Amino acid sequence: MKWKGFFLTLALLASVIVWGIYPTVNVEEKESVILDAVLNYLEALHFSPLELDDDLSAKVFDDYIESIDPSKRFLLQSEVDQLSIYKDQLDDQIKMKDFTFFNASLEIIEASRARSKRIYNEIIEGDIASIDETKVEVDRDKRRFSANEAELKDLWEQLIKYDYNNRLINKIEDQEDRLNKEEEDNNSQLKEDTRDIAVDLATEKEEDEEEPIKSEEELSVEVKEKIKETYDDWFERMDKDKRSDRFETYINSITHLFDPHSDFYNPKEKQDFDIRMGGKLEGIGARLQSDGDYTKVTSIIPGGPAWKGKELDVDDLITAVTQKGEEPLDITGMRLDDVVSKIRGKKGTVVILSVKKVDGSRQQVEIERDEVIIDEGFARSLKLDIPDVMENVGYIKLPKFYSSFEKKDGNSCAKDVAAEIEKLNALKVNGIILDLRNNGGGSLQDVVDMTGLFIEDGPIVQVKPRNKPAYVYDDKDATALYDGPLIVMVNQFSASASEILAAALQDYERAVIVGSNSTFGKGTVQRFVDLDRAVRDPSASALKPLGNLKITMQKFFRINGGSTQLKGVTPDIIFPNNYHFIETGEKDYDHAMEWSEIPAVDYGQNIFRIPSLELLRKKSEMRTQNEENFKMVLENASRLKSNRDETEYPLEFDAYNEYIDRKEEAAEKFDGLFDQTIESLVISNLAVDEEYINSDESRVARNDDWKEGVSKDFYLEETMHILKDIVDLTSQSYSEKE
């Protein structure tokens, strides 16, 4: 007993010592300090600060409710109404660092989740196949909060039946595909060697015994078990949500009202952001972010496995992750860091992502994990020819505006593009095509230097801080490295630095910009600020680290005074693509900053001026209107827009199966649309690059893969024709002057 008392005293003493070293942190005190620091920085540094008033209070309320229950699976309308008594009080609570509303919301969301878990358990214990809900609304923005528990149960039944239908159809189709493949393999083997018929039949029998044909009822049982496993895991993960997770949601409901790119990052999130320029998923080469219950692809890292696979796209929603050979894991509602851990893996292993495309279609994307191959992310060039039409054309692909710290030899993208231009100048090319499609931007200084390769010295972009005059980034080199015909290719995912270059060359009338309806439209500049620096009180040191705030502090403006924000850059010649009728980019974000303009600066160039842009546009339109691929693209774009707008699906299984069959049959017409080789297009590596390419077997394979992709690019083929028109009109103009 004496020893027991001694150890108890020792334990108490140790706890006192530990408390002295690591004092207990008051949670609400830390939240108050973070909120105060965030508000101070937003007020002092944000490009367009907002006033904390009743209008902002109502918007914070709406955004927070949307964030904590985006699919309307948990809250009843009465509970939203219960919280709405604070709707016009949040501005005052935020100023006073009062968390009355936040604390009340925690209690209600916890209770609502417990209720939904009970409802789910009641449904999953019943017969899912017999659920008689007639339809489901898959667009969560079109749903309303349930009026009562009965309505909420109806919603859960709809969503579970929808999940059941999808999984069962996939099971049936997978079994049919397996049986068809086995039959083809057996037939092939029988033709190959008829003497082994008995052996083949025996093998077939063994395979059937290992993986027997299952009835729809048996597959249905498997589907139900998998749904239960998925939702059980989902609720278990939600049960582990911490107060800090909800607090971050609350804070970002405030920051996102200022603009969608201003965010609070806890210390771990900031660390993850810094890894490989924010690349959270190094295993597949994609950057992700949470989007309500879903995980959304925000960019594809050039040179990475996803980029090479060409199946995963920006704005895809990942709904499930499958380790090859295992069962799919539904990641709906999963924390982003948990999603990352499921997708990351050893080089050479395979992950299968179930994704929902922008148009609402669903696809399985298989990706072999690998390191991101750096050289595929850097500038490189080819020589293109369409015999007897347009020959000896230089093509430069720039996947991103990388800066010197990303490359061991210290080169920048501007220097690398300059090197490619010098190679093409040596060939005396008749024109250059600079491809910035899917280029999400990067280094500001490099885009200024790169634009200067095509003009004399002069302004490139205006950058305006808040309440201060804009300062101009100039190209100070009076020489132009390339002075011939130039076309810049862009699309809806060309953003930031890509838009600066395209806008400047368009304003100078130095290049023809070709591509989708508009570029992305991100014309703002963000910086990270450390919240710890905002807290100077030594007594608050125990609360640190507080995290970081990514804050929008500046705005880009064209040299003609217009902004690239929201509107992006409208190409001189527009090519239709699959997103032609679907709104994408910055304008699709809630609370995106508005377009604005400032005074233009003086600019001009005497290097090369695009002749008769209107005539170039008409000539291109005449070709594309009669070209089968472009007609098919427009038809497909219309189909995808229709699919996206059609958000109510039937739930009776046969009706749903028939509905999906119709959709798939309609999509079959467009299979392989972008897989046809352009026979007239001749693609060559530059002779000076051959030694580098052939020095490594994997480099040869990557180069071949790149060239194969270029060979199927009918947008590039039409760009070659436009370049031909530029050359012809320029020659005609010179002849007339003579």
Side-chain angles (χ1 to χ4, degrees):
M1 291 297 294
K2 289 181 179 179
W3 283 108
K4 183 177 180 181
F6 171 76
F7 284 123
L8 179 61
T9 302
L10 187 62
L12 290 172
L13 179 61
S15 69
V16 170
I17 294 173
V18 170
W19 185 89
I21 300 173
Y22 303 107
T24 302
V25 174
N26 182 300
V27 174
E28 286 205 19
E29 182 184 356
K30 182 169 185 174
E31 291 170 349
S32 178
V33 170
I34 290 173
L35 179 57
D36 190 53
V38 166
L39 292 175
N40 286 337
Y41 274 132
L42 286 171
E43 182 180 353
L45 301 177
H46 195 276
F47 182 85
S48 182
L50 301 175
E51 184 178 351
L52 285 175
D53 56 16
D54 288 352
D55 180 59
L56 182 135
S57 177
K59 291 176 181 177
V60 170
F61 177 86
D62 290 339
D63 276 29
Y64 178 67
I65 295 297
E66 167 69 16
S67 297
I68 62 177
D69 190 10
S71 298
K72 301 177 177 63
R73 293 173 181 253
F74 305 113
L75 295 172
L76 300 178
Q77 183 61 53
S78 59
E79 291 163 334
V80 176
D81 293 341
Q82 183 180 341
L83 288 172
S84 68
I85 62 171
Y86 301 106
K87 193 166 186 174
D88 61 355
Q89 300 176 23
L90 295 187
D91 55 323
D92 298 316
Q93 290 190 15
I94 291 169
K95 291 173 185 175
M96 299 297 295
K97 317 305 177 293
D98 178 353
F99 295 101
T100 301
F101 163 73
F102 176 63
N103 291 331
S105 75
L106 296 185
E107 295 178 10
I108 287 177
I109 191 63
E110 287 297 333
S112 70
R113 284 186 173 183
R115 176 181 56 230
S116 290
K117 187 175 183 179
R118 171 173 52 78
I119 290 173
Y120 148 73
N121 281 320
E122 292 172 4
I123 296 171
I124 205 69
E125 293 303 322
D127 182 7
I128 298 177
S130 67
I131 291 175
D132 62 358
E133 295 289 341
T134 58
K135 60 185 178 180
V136 61
E137 175 57 71
V138 297
D139 186 344
R140 64 193 188 198
D141 292 334
K142 293 181 181 179
R143 296 180 198 151
R144 59 179 178 80
F145 287 105
S146 300
N148 49 51
E149 187 170 321
E151 276 192 15
L152 186 63
K153 185 174 183 180
D154 286 343
L155 174 62
W156 272 92
E157 287 181 337
Q158 292 165 17
L159 296 174
I160 290 176
K161 182 65 179 293
Y162 175 64
D163 192 3
Y164 168 88
N165 287 344
N166 276 320
R167 290 175 186 262
L168 183 55
I169 287 173
N170 288 337
K171 282 272 189 185
I172 292 171
E173 289 180 350
D174 288 346
Q175 179 168 268
E176 289 175 351
D177 290 344
R178 175 175 60 83
L179 293 175
N180 289 336
K181 185 176 185 304
E182 287 177 359
E183 184 177 352
E184 289 174 5
D185 291 345
N186 287 330
N187 288 339
S188 175
Q189 183 64 28
L190 285 168
K191 290 177 182 178
E192 215 174 275
D193 192 349
T194 55
R195 292 173 301 176
D196 291 335
I197 291 177
V199 175
D200 290 332
L201 292 175
T203 302
E204 182 180 9
K205 183 177 180 181
E206 287 174 8
E207 289 177 353
D208 286 345
E209 289 173 355
E210 291 176 4
E211 198 170 354
I213 299 173
K214 298 174 183 177
S215 67
E216 186 174 311
E217 185 177 351
E218 289 173 314
L219 293 175
S220 175
V221 171
E222 290 183 2
V223 165
K224 180 178 177 180
E225 289 173 352
K226 194 60 190 175
I227 290 174
K228 185 177 189 310
E229 179 184 332
T230 297
Y231 278 90
D232 285 350
D233 287 346
W234 185 42
F235 277 107
E236 184 178 347
R237 290 193 301 271
M238 283 194 293
D239 288 342
K240 294 177 181 177
D241 277 358
K242 297 174 289 186
R243 177 186 174 97
S244 59
D245 298 320
R246 308 273 172 73
F247 174 71
E248 288 162 24
T249 300
Y250 182 50
I251 284 286
N252 283 324
S253 296
I254 301 170
T255 64
H256 288 169
L257 292 182
F258 286 71
D259 77 284
H261 304 292
S262 292
D263 293 279
F264 168 71
Y265 284 70
N266 68 42
K268 182 180 182 302
E269 287 173 333
K270 177 58 168 61
Q271 185 180 40
D272 289 342
F273 183 91
D274 289 338
I275 296 173
R276 299 182 67 85
M277 296 178 65
K280 290 181 179 295
L281 300 178
E282 297 171 284
I284 64 169
R287 297 186 178 98
L288 309 181
Q289 72 178 31
S290 294
D291 184 17
D293 287 338
Y294 300 100
T295 298
K296 182 167 74 173
V297 179
T298 58
S299 66
I300 306 294
I301 299 172
W307 183 81
K308 289 187 288 186
K310 299 179 176 63
E311 291 186 282
L312 194 68
D313 295 311
V314 171
D315 287 340
D316 282 353
L317 297 177
I318 302 175
T319 59
V321 177
T322 306
Q323 312 303 328
K324 192 163 187 179
E326 300 180 12
E327 288 293 317
L329 172 66
D330 191 311
I331 61 167
T332 305
M334 186 181 286
R335 293 167 59 101
L336 185 60
D337 51 359
D338 289 334
V339 175
V340 169
S341 69
K342 303 301 180 187
I343 296 180
R344 279 179 178 162
K346 292 182 179 179
K347 177 180 177 179
T349 60
V350 174
V351 64
I352 302 168
L353 306 180
S354 302
V355 301
K356 182 179 179 182
K357 296 289 184 179
V358 172
D359 68 317
S361 64
R362 295 179 182 273
Q363 184 177 332
Q364 301 290 105
V365 178
E366 185 171 310
I367 303 173
E368 181 175 328
R369 299 177 176 103
D370 199 355
E371 297 176 356
V372 175
I373 306 300
I374 297 299
D375 60 2
E376 293 188 23
F378 290 98
R380 48 186 175 163
S381 61
L382 295 167
K383 185 174 83 72
L384 307 179
D385 299 278
I386 300 179
D388 301 323
V389 177
M390 187 65 195
E391 300 183 68
N392 196 26
V393 171
Y395 171 72
I396 301 175
K397 176 65 178 177
L398 184 68
K400 62 177 179 177
F401 282 84
Y402 51 88
S403 52
S404 58
F405 65 83
E406 294 177 59
K407 200 173 182 184
K408 292 180 181 178
D409 62 12
N411 286 345
S412 68
C413 63
K415 291 180 180 178
D416 289 351
V417 167
E420 299 304 320
I421 291 174
E422 287 176 342
K423 296 177 192 176
L424 297 174
N425 280 340
L427 296 177
K428 297 182 179 179
V429 293
N430 293 313
I432 287 180
I433 297 169
L434 177 60
D435 191 346
L436 300 182
R437 288 175 295 178
N438 301 309
N439 185 321
S443 168
L444 175 60
Q445 188 56 55
D446 277 279
V447 72
V448 172
D449 294 341
M450 191 182 303
T451 307
L453 300 174
F454 305 105
I455 63 165
E456 303 152 309
D457 57 327
I460 304 299
V461 64
Q462 302 186 75
V463 179
K464 188 182 185 311
R466 173 180 135 193
N467 295 333
K468 292 181 181 179
Y471 48 91
V472 180
Y473 279 81
D474 290 286
D475 167 48
K476 301 185 184 302
D477 184 351
T479 61
L481 187 60
Y482 175 69
D483 61 2
L486 176 66
I487 296 181
V488 178
M489 301 183 74
V490 296
N491 65 6
Q492 68 276 6
F493 300 121
S494 302
S496 192
S498 295
E499 297 174 287
I500 291 172
L501 183 143
L505 294 180
Q506 188 178 60
D507 290 343
Y508 275 110
E509 298 180 36
R510 174 65 184 87
V512 175
I513 314 301
V514 303
S516 55
N517 290 324
S518 72
T519 55
F520 191 86
K522 183 181 182 295
T524 56
V525 187
Q526 287 73 42
R527 298 281 186 269
F528 274 101
V529 292
D530 188 345
L531 298 184
D532 287 356
R533 295 182 180 179
V535 182
R536 301 187 181 279
D537 185 353
S539 65
S541 60
L543 304 176
K544 299 177 181 179
L546 302 175
N548 285 256
L549 179 66
K550 179 162 67 74
I551 184 170
T552 298
M553 299 172 65
Q554 297 168 320
K555 210 171 180 182
F556 290 128
F557 289 88
R558 301 170 66 140
I559 53 178
N560 71 3
S563 175
T564 57
Q565 172 62 17
L566 210 62
K567 292 184 179 181
V569 176
T570 302
D572 301 305
I573 298 175
I574 293 175
F575 293 157
N577 65 9
N578 285 337
Y579 297 91
H580 195 70
F581 301 113
I582 296 175
E583 193 169 86
T584 59
E586 185 83 1
K587 55 184 172 289
D588 197 36
Y589 287 136
D590 291 334
H591 313 303
M593 292 179 67
E594 74 286 348
W595 180 88
S596 57
E597 58 184 333
I598 60 176
V601 294
D602 292 332
Y603 61 93
Q605 57 93 12
N606 295 298
I607 298 297
F608 183 96
R609 197 169 299 276
I610 296 299
S612 189
L613 189 57
E614 186 59 35
L615 184 55
L616 291 173
R617 187 180 297 116
K618 287 180 179 178
K619 283 176 172 287
S620 179
E621 287 175 355
M622 287 178 64
R623 281 190 298 267
T624 57
Q625 285 171 1
N626 296 309
E627 209 282 323
E628 190 61 29
N629 282 333
F630 282 96
K631 289 194 289 186
M632 290 282 284
V633 166
L634 269 177
E635 186 180 344
N636 192 41
S638 179
R639 178 186 69 88
L640 297 178
K641 176 64 165 64
S642 177
N643 283 353
R644 190 179 191 184
D645 292 342
E646 192 175 348
T647 58
E648 280 193 342
Y649 294 178
L651 281 178
E652 193 276 319
F653 182 73
D654 290 337
Y656 182 79
N657 200 2
E658 182 182 341
Y659 175 86
I660 294 299
D661 284 344
R662 285 200 311 272
K663 294 292 184 185
E664 291 179 350
E665 185 178 346
E668 286 176 5
K669 179 179 179 179
F670 306 98
D671 285 348
L673 176 57
F674 298 97
D675 295 332
Q676 303 168 25
T677 300
I678 312 298
E679 298 296 338
S680 61
L681 186 61
V682 180
I683 302 165
S684 310
N685 286 113
L686 307 190
V688 295
D689 292 335
E690 292 286 355
E691 182 179 353
Y692 171 79
I693 294 168
N694 293 322
S695 65
D696 180 87
E697 186 177 346
S698 64
R699 195 175 289 151
V700 171
R702 294 195 300 273
N703 179 68
D704 289 344
D705 180 67
W706 178 44
K707 288 169 64 179
E708 182 182 358
V710 172
S711 73
K712 300 173 182 179
D713 190 347
F714 54 82
Y715 293 106
L716 187 55
E717 180 188 26
E718 171 56 24
T719 303
M720 292 276 285
H721 283 284
I722 296 171
L723 194 56
K724 167 66 171 172
D725 292 337
I726 295 173
V727 171
D728 288 347
L729 289 172
T730 302
S731 299
Q732 179 182 332
S733 176
Y734 284 143
S735 297
E736 290 173 354
K737 288 178 181 178
E738 292 175 357

